[in-house]
């Protein structure tokens, strides 16, 4: 939306107003919204359409009272009870003026200040953890949304496959279509919506933060109990005396109880079993099969495919349990006179151990961490000397939160943060068509520290005023309203003072 503004009659309100909250600089007609649907023209006023979200520090289930129905007594307002998040606060791009809200309130007897803004992040992305053994795709394989490459498969973690999505290369470094598809997928993922993704040379998946992932149309139920070797370690003693051999099939480390150290220490007798694959250490085998969506994250549908002919030490009637790392696949065999395994019905005596593996698996979930660099111009909305904010964050005098949710700050330069999107209030993220994500960010510190880092002290307003609907004098837009949201259970209250050198954390 970059057309010229409509001419106006002298004395009349312009029919279009200009939003300067992002580089797109929309001209917005009366009654219409800008390109991002975040700002609108209401009677010639620029209005931020999503209500300002205020966290309440309450654990009970009593219904939240709408702000307009409250009888505020400003003198009673404390930063221990309310926290103004950046959600719905607006943006001050390119930060030539102070952040939309700079609010002051006492917390545990300390005068604290929270600086609140909706940051526009071109340098941002999502790290996605998918709890599954199933092979989603080779490391470095492109991940696509709407057919566009928006990221890649990265290193697997213990029981989980990892995706690295977004980032400035996909948002701005490719075609317009790639940038839009990347932004749309990140926005949906960060707002806890389901997103369909395909992996080159791998699976089709559906991912939603906090929900079970869907792999090739099948909803994943369990995260594995451990690798094959760890499973042997956990359950060897429970299998002793019930079966002659156990193989836990795993794409990474397949375990064999009679050879494994866990078997040795309980005097498990050798069986003459031979496993295809690369022997790492006794009873631990790598690369027994290709990765896939079969047994234990391999491509196996028949686990016997990983066995070579048995050595002479084996005997007819030898019993063998083969099981996957989730217990989802399990089969029982006995060797015939030719020392060939023949599948038999799973004996009752082994059922509890397979069930125990399943019981020890956690529910499979997809997790989404928003990751972004806040080391750019938005710091100017906080202080006249941007690097002093970076130093204050790095020295933990300033606490950073996203929509009130805790963040992890990476060591090293800049303010590079990661936040669990499920800990944020609903629909905390927006976008602008540059394309970039809009994410809430708050900086909280003592008033003394804020003054010391060159903060915009002239723009500080009491928390009580913000709760009553007042806006900072630097704001050139109206707020659509305010809404209260209860802080998430178990998350630290965002306004607490940070840790000073020599002090213990306040929480
Ligand atoms: S895209 Fe949104 S934030 Fe950017 S100028 Fe248009 S209305 Fe304003």
């Amino acid at each position: 939306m970059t057309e010229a503004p409509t001419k106006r009659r002298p004395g009349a309100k312009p029919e279009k107003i200009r939003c300067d909250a992002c580089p797109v600089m929309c001209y917005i007609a009366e009654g219409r919204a800008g390109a991002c649907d975040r700002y609108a023209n209401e009677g010639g006023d620029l209005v931020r359409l999503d209500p300002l979200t205020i966290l309440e520090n309450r654990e009970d289930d009593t219904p939240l009272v709408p702000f307009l129905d409250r009888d505020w007594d400003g003198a009673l307002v404390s930063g221990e009870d309310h926290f103004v998040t950046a959600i719905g606060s607006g943006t001050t791009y390119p930060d030539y003026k102070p952040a939309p809200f700079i609010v002051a309130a006492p917390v545990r007897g300390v005068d604290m200040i929270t600086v609140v803004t909706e940051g526009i992040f071109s340098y941002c992305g999502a790290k996605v953890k998918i709890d599954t053994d199933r092979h989603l795709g080779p490391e470095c394989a492109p991940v696509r949304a709407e057919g566009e490459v928006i990221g890649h498969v990265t290193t697997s973690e213990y029981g989980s496959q990892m995706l690295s999505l977004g980032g400035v290369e996909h948002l701005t470094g490719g075609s317009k279509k790639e940038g839009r598809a990347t932004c749309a997928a990140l926005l949906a993922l960060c707002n806890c919506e389901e997103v369909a993704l395909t992996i080159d040379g791998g699976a089709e998946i559906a991912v939603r933060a906090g929900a079970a992932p869907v792999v090739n149309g099948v909803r994943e139920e369990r995260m594995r109990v451990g690798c094959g070797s760890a499973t042997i370690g956990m359950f060897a003693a429970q299998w002793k005396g019930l079966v002659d051999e156990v193989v836990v099939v795993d794409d990474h480390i397949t375990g064999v109880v009679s050879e494994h150290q866990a078997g040795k220490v309980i005097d498990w007798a050798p069986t003459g079993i031979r496993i295809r694959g690369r022997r790492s250490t006794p009873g631990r085998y790598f690369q027994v099969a290709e990765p896939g969506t079969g047994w234990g994250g391999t491509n196996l549908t028949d686990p016997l495919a990983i066995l070579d002919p048995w050595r002479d030490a084996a005997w007819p009637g030898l019993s063998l349990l083969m099981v996957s790392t989730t217990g989802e696949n399990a089969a029982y065999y006995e060797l015939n006179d030719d020392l060939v395994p023949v599948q038999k019905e799973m004996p009752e005596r082994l059922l509890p151990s397979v069930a125990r593996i399943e019981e020890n698996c956690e529910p499979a979930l997809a997790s989404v961490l928003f990751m972004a660099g806040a080391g750019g111009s938005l710091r100017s909305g906080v202080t006249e000397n941007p690097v002093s904010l970076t130093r204050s964050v790095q020295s933990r005098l300033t606490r950073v939160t996203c929509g009130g949710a805790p963040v992890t700050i990476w060591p090293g330069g800049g303010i590079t943060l990661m936040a669990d999107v499920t800990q944020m209030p609903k629909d905390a993220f927006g976008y602008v068509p540059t394309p970039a994500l809009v994410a809430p960010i708050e900086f909280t510190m003592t008033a003394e520290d804020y003054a010391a880092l060159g903060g915009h002290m002239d723009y500080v307003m009491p928390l009580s005023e913000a709760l009553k609907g007042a806006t900072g004098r630097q704001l050139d837009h109206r707020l659509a309203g305010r809404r209260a949201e209860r802080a998430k259970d178990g998350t630290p209250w965002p306004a607490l003072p940070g840790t000073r050198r020599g002090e213990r954390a306040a929480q």
Side-chain angles (χ1 to χ4, degrees):
M1 298 188 68
T2 52
E3 72 233 62
T6 311
K7 281 187 183 164
R8 62 182 170 124
R9 297 182 307 281
K13 276 203 162 185
E15 291 174 22
K16 290 190 177 182
I17 56 175
R18 189 161 205 183
C19 173
D20 64 356
C22 92
V24 178
M25 306 282 278
C26 294
Y27 285 104
I28 308 174
E30 160 67 26
R32 305 289 294 273
C36 64
D37 285 334
R38 299 190 310 125
Y39 289 90
N41 178 346
E42 287 183 8
D45 289 339
L46 187 65
V47 177
R48 176 70 180 92
L49 289 172
D50 302 295
L52 180 68
T53 298
I54 295 165
L55 285 188
E56 298 208 330
N57 193 9
R58 298 190 303 143
E59 289 178 0
D60 58 79
D61 287 331
T62 51
L64 295 168
V65 179
F67 277 97
L68 291 177
D69 297 345
R70 296 187 194 187
D71 187 15
W72 287 106
D73 177 354
L76 296 178
V77 171
S78 144
E80 288 166 56
D81 302 320
H82 298 89
F83 181 81
V84 177
T85 77
I87 302 166
S89 69
T91 309
T92 56
Y93 176 86
D95 304 296
Y96 57 90
K97 58 191 171 189
F101 285 92
I102 304 176
V103 295
V107 179
R108 294 185 179 171
V110 180
D111 288 331
M112 300 296 292
I113 286 186
T114 298
V115 184
V116 165
T117 190
E118 287 180 299
I120 298 175
F121 292 99
S122 300
Y123 289 85
C124 74
K127 304 297 179 212
V128 180
K129 172 173 166 283
I130 299 169
D131 300 337
T132 182
D133 258 1
R134 286 175 231 286
H135 180 68
L136 300 184
E139 203 171 296
C140 301
V143 177
R144 295 176 188 270
E146 302 171 36
E148 297 293 320
V149 177
I150 67 159
H152 62 273
V153 177
T154 185
T155 43
S156 298
E157 298 301 340
Y158 200 58
S160 309
Q161 314 273 310
M162 306 291 291
L163 308 180
S164 179
L165 305 181
V168 70
E169 294 300 330
H170 293 293
L171 281 168
T172 69
S175 67
K176 261 189 176 179
K177 203 169 164 220
E178 179 179 331
R180 282 193 197 127
T182 302
C183 190
L186 290 179
L187 178 64
L189 282 169
C190 289
N191 280 335
C192 298
E193 294 166 15
E194 185 168 286
V195 174
L197 301 169
T198 57
I199 297 167
D200 288 7
E204 292 183 3
I205 57 177
V207 178
R208 181 160 71 84
V214 178
V215 181
N216 291 335
V218 179
R219 192 163 294 277
E220 189 64 278
E221 286 184 16
R222 285 185 287 273
M223 181 180 185
R224 69 180 182 174
V225 64
C227 68
S229 172
T231 309
I232 292 285
M234 279 183 262
F235 300 109
Q238 297 181 35
W239 282 315
K240 180 98 190 287
L242 300 181
V243 64
D244 297 316
E245 183 65 277
V246 180
V247 176
V248 181
V249 179
D250 175 20
D251 177 42
H252 299 131
I253 309 173
T254 287
V256 179
V257 71
S258 65
E259 300 178 359
H260 196 278
Q261 183 64 12
K264 296 285 181 214
V265 296
I266 57 173
D267 295 325
W268 199 294
T271 62
I273 195 169
R274 289 200 302 180
I275 302 282
R276 290 179 189 162
R278 183 156 73 79
R279 187 170 176 270
S280 163
T281 53
R284 299 169 73 252
Y285 292 85
F286 300 161
Q287 299 157 15
V288 296
E290 292 297 316
T293 54
W295 280 58
T298 68
N299 63 347
L300 294 169
T301 51
D302 176 9
L304 293 181
I306 68 171
L307 300 189
D308 272 333
W310 293 62
R311 295 189 187 88
D312 289 345
W315 60 94
L318 182 153
S319 56
L320 166 68
L321 170 67
M322 298 189 84
V323 63
S324 68
T325 43
T326 55
E328 182 183 326
N329 304 103
Y332 174 77
Y333 307 87
E334 290 180 6
L335 298 191
N336 65 14
D337 291 344
D338 298 322
L339 302 184
V340 173
V342 177
Q343 187 166 2
K344 300 266 173 87
E345 192 176 337
M346 182 73 68
E348 286 279 331
R349 67 179 189 277
L350 291 178
L351 290 176
S353 65
V354 175
R356 180 62 63 86
I357 292 176
E358 291 180 289
E359 181 192 334
N360 274 269
C361 295
E362 296 168 74
L365 288 179
S367 312
V368 176
L369 294 192
F370 169 66
M371 183 162 179
S377 68
L378 73 75
R379 293 176 298 172
S380 299
V382 182
T383 166
E384 289 164 358
N385 186 21
V387 74
S388 62
L389 175 66
T390 309
R391 290 180 185 137
S392 182
V393 169
Q394 288 170 350
S395 60
R396 301 191 182 188
L397 295 177
T398 292
R399 180 190 301 269
V400 184
T401 50
C402 280
V407 307
T408 298
I409 300 286
W410 277 74
I415 302 173
T416 305
L417 59 90
M418 292 199 299
D420 177 356
V421 300
T422 63
Q423 299 302 302
M424 297 184 203
K426 196 170 177 303
D427 295 331
F429 289 82
Y431 84 104
V432 292
T434 51
L437 273 198
V438 177
I441 187 162
E442 304 95 23
F443 299 93
T444 301
M445 67 217 86
T446 66
E448 186 186 345
D449 286 334
Y450 189 52
L453 62 78
H456 303 296
M457 297 303 288
D458 292 347
Y459 293 82
V460 175
M461 65 192 295
L463 173 62
S464 55
E465 294 297 311
L467 297 181
K468 281 191 275 190
T471 53
R473 66 184 159 87
Q474 67 276 30
L475 243 58
D476 55 6
H477 62 266
R478 274 203 285 118
L479 299 180
R482 288 155 293 141
R483 72 174 172 126
E485 179 144 341
R486 194 171 294 118
K488 302 264 181 191
D489 289 343
T491 55
W493 183 244
L496 291 175
T499 310
R500 287 180 174 279
R501 190 178 302 132
E503 289 178 354
R504 290 180 65 83
Q507 52 189 319

